[in-house]
Amino acid sequence: KEQLKLVKNTAKPIVDLIESGNEVIIAHGNGPQVGMINLAMEIASKTEGSNTPEMPFPECGAMSQGYIGYHLQNAIREELLNRGLNIPVATVITQVIVDKDDPAFKNPTKPIGAFYTEEEAKKLAEEKGYIMKEDAGRGYRRVVPSPIPVDVAEKEIVKTLVDNGHIVITVGGGGIPVVKEGNSLIGVPAVIDKDFASEKIAEILDADYLIILTAVEKVAINFGKENEEWLDKLTVEQAEKYIEEGHFAPGSMLPKVQAAIKFAKSKEGRKALITSLEKAKEGIEGKTGTLIVNE
């Protein structure tokens, strides 16, 4: 219910951009949802007499893409129709190809699902082979690998839809991570960072702009300190220097800035913008947000 209400607010600034004449492709995260699905299926499988199988992680990712996409596409469609715009909106269940030799598979870092005590975590590690790590003093959580996206399996479908004027929701939650084995795509238990997956599809579709919408209006250095400074514009060089100095938190602003740098460097004229959802239109108009360019 909470998500249904939230997507109605999300739809407004997105439709503002569409109404202004921009071609928009949408990606989204799935952090809490994929963990919730995974946990629900795990609990169901343990319920006596339920005969519910445990659900592999890639399938949980696919489920989250489906239901978040369903909420998003309906909210955007309704907002478009309310403004007299009849543009089709569709979610593409997207598989994102990763390298099976990605070093991330040897060093899982992405926390998912519920918090456990040390005792429960040890039991899960023994019984299921999960890798459990302590998470910021809040308890133990399962961690999975976070490999770098290499390609998007459904890119031609997404491109065809976009070229025909449709609005596409794609690479939800970073996409379903798959590895290539001959002609097969095999799902792997991992979570691809949504910012890197968005950057990859933006490159593939030859977008002009990668816009990362987050909780803050601008990127800051010395965040939360007395000498905090909000940034209007960053060159790739400056952004890389700030990363080196440790200004951006891993799992928070760091992947956003890294994805923005990668996109700005990928082709001449490409720009990335980091701003809040509510300020997306003003950001594109150059009135707010942090612009990242390769100069």
Side-chain angles (χ1 to χ4, degrees):
K1 281 181 183 173
E2 187 191 5
Q3 186 168 296
L4 275 168
K5 205 165 81 181
L6 285 169
V7 287
K8 283 187 184 282
N9 300 332
T10 304
K12 289 181 174 72
I14 291 170
V15 175
D16 284 345
L17 296 180
I18 296 160
E19 203 173 25
S20 305
N22 297 292
E23 272 188 311
V24 174
I25 299 126
I26 300 153
H28 61 80
N30 70 348
Q33 294 93 338
V34 73
M36 182 184 79
I37 292 165
N38 191 241
L39 182 65
M41 299 306 286
E42 205 173 284
I43 291 167
S45 72
K46 285 182 188 144
T47 308
E48 217 173 305
S50 78
N51 294 325
T52 304
E54 273 198 34
M55 194 58 63
F57 205 71
E59 279 73 6
C60 294
M63 286 178 182
S64 73
Q65 271 192 13
Y67 101 81
I68 298 167
Y70 153 61
H71 283 177
L72 264 176
Q73 69 190 27
N74 275 355
I76 292 164
R77 176 184 177 272
E78 188 181 324
E79 187 63 30
L80 284 163
L81 292 173
N82 287 347
R83 301 191 199 188
L85 298 166
N86 189 10
I87 306 169
V89 190
T91 300
V92 175
I93 301 299
T94 319
Q95 301 173 91
V96 173
I97 297 160
V98 297
D99 183 351
K100 67 177 190 306
D101 298 320
D102 190 306
F105 286 113
K106 289 192 171 72
N107 180 31
T109 54
K110 201 88 165 168
I112 56 146
F115 291 91
Y116 295 93
T117 64
E118 191 174 355
E119 203 177 317
E120 288 168 331
K122 275 181 182 163
K123 201 174 170 203
L124 280 169
E126 280 164 26
E127 285 176 10
K128 297 188 191 296
Y130 290 175
I131 293 168
M132 308 294 288
K133 281 187 184 172
E134 207 276 327
D135 186 356
R138 295 175 294 176
Y140 285 77
R141 288 173 90 186
R142 180 186 176 189
V143 288
V144 294
S146 187
I148 296 293
V150 173
D151 204 358
V152 176
E154 291 75 18
K155 62 186 175 188
E156 297 303 334
I157 298 162
V158 174
K159 192 177 187 310
T160 301
L161 290 168
V162 170
D163 288 349
N164 281 282
H166 304 313
I167 294 152
V168 184
I169 299 159
T170 182
V171 300
I176 303 157
V178 294
V179 294
K180 271 184 170 175
E181 280 186 21
N183 288 333
S184 301
L185 292 174
I186 313 290
V188 289
V191 173
I192 299 166
D193 191 284
K194 63 185 180 295
D195 301 312
F196 294 145
S198 305
E199 190 283 328
K200 180 53 71 178
I201 196 77
E203 263 192 52
I204 289 168
L205 297 174
D206 197 20
D208 308 301
Y209 244 119
L210 172 67
I211 304 165
I212 296 175
L213 303 174
T214 184
V216 290
E217 199 175 317
K218 293 180 184 181
V219 176
I221 52 169
N222 304 308
F223 184 66
K225 296 176 186 167
E226 275 176 29
N227 57 342
E228 179 180 88
E229 188 188 332
W230 296 94
L231 307 165
D232 296 321
K233 191 178 175 182
L234 271 177
T235 63
V236 161
E237 214 173 326
Q238 285 169 321
E240 286 173 336
K241 182 174 165 278
Y242 289 143
I243 286 174
E244 235 172 88
E245 290 170 4
H247 283 284
F248 311 123
S252 176
M253 193 52 82
L254 180 62
K256 291 169 177 46
V257 176
Q258 287 173 325
I261 289 169
K262 193 169 185 300
F263 185 71
K265 281 168 96 169
S266 64
K267 190 179 174 181
E268 207 176 317
R270 283 180 180 168
K271 293 177 283 193
L273 174 76
I274 300 173
T275 192
S276 66
L277 176 69
E278 299 74 26
K279 301 281 183 180
K281 195 174 175 215
E282 289 103 303
I284 284 190
E285 289 166 355
K287 294 174 187 169
T288 190
T290 303
L291 189 69
I292 292 152
V293 291
N294 194 17
E295 285 179 354

